[in-house]
Amino acid sequence: MKAALLLIALALALPFTAFADGIVLTNQNGSIAISNAGISSTGSQLTSFNGIVAPPGHSLGSVHFSTGALISGSIAAGGTFSSAGSSFVVIGKGNYGQPKGTIFSGSFVGPIIWTLTSPPGAKNLTFTLSGTIQGMLYNGRMVSGTTVQNIYTINGQLAQGIGHIKVGSTPLAIPEPGTLSLFGVGLVALGGMFRRKLLG
């Protein structure tokens, strides 16, 4: 009985340890185009990757993203954009030890939330764009994570569909194949124990 309880506890605990610390990407600056058809970014600089930080005045590469169309709410007050047809791509320069070329290529999955974080009607407006992303790393591993992009604009620019990226943070969780295998073995052993108990 004690062995069964130990295996159950192990099976429940393993999903929480099945992910490595992961990779955190940050980006700054750049502009976004905002319309009911979606939001797309240009010129945002990759400032850190997995502990590598770009020196002042330099970048590690670039971050590009786009959403699907607005499906609820409004651009001015906040709403939800679709992930259909979306993308999230990170390109590295390879100049400070980070990979050169495509570091991450994927898309948003599920709703993309556009939130007004400043008082409505203020001259200087701030928003966050947040959502879950999924895709492939430069090493061929599939990863998922979330991104939060902090955006600022002013009333006149927002009416023209113009915004600017202040800072963005994108942590990606990487499954550890060894731990996932161990989790699978634990479940098989647990199933075998219960099967023997039932047959006995």
Side-chain angles (χ1 to χ4, degrees):
M1 186 64 181
K2 284 182 182 177
L5 288 174
L6 182 63
L7 279 172
I8 290 168
L10 183 64
L12 291 172
L14 275 171
F16 298 102
T17 59
F19 291 90
D21 290 339
I23 292 172
V24 177
L25 310 168
T26 59
N27 60 288
Q28 286 183 332
N29 307 324
S31 299
I32 59 168
I34 315 164
S35 74
N36 288 336
I39 295 176
S40 60
S41 71
T42 54
S44 192
Q45 299 177 342
L46 179 65
T47 52
S48 73
F49 163 79
N50 205 25
I52 301 169
V53 179
H58 295 78
S59 78
L60 304 179
S62 56
V63 174
H64 312 269
F65 59 85
S66 64
T67 74
L70 184 70
I71 53 177
S72 68
S74 70
I75 290 169
T80 303
F81 286 85
S82 168
S83 59
S86 66
S87 65
F88 197 99
V89 179
V90 181
I91 308 293
K93 291 181 177 178
N95 49 350
Y96 294 103
Q98 81 281 20
K100 184 174 182 178
T102 304
I103 291 177
F104 173 84
S105 179
S107 60
F108 287 92
V109 290
I112 304 160
I113 309 302
W114 175 248
T115 307
L116 176 65
T117 55
S118 57
K123 183 182 176 184
N124 298 314
L125 300 169
T126 57
F127 294 86
T128 58
L129 176 77
S130 58
T132 301
I133 59 172
Q134 208 167 55
M136 187 176 289
L137 272 181
Y138 62 95
N139 57 10
R141 295 178 80 174
M142 292 300 294
V143 295
S144 62
T146 56
T147 189
V148 177
Q149 302 289 322
N150 294 287
I151 312 293
Y152 67 94
T153 186
I154 58 176
N155 266 320
Q157 287 187 332
L158 184 64
Q160 299 172 53
I162 300 169
H164 311 279
I165 299 169
K166 186 175 182 181
V167 65
S169 177
T170 308
L172 300 170
I174 304 171
E176 289 182 2
T179 310
L180 290 173
S181 299
L182 183 61
F183 176 56
V185 169
L187 287 179
V188 169
L190 189 62
M193 254 180 84
F194 282 118
R195 185 173 176 272
R196 258 185 287 131
K197 200 154 186 96
L198 288 171
L199 289 175

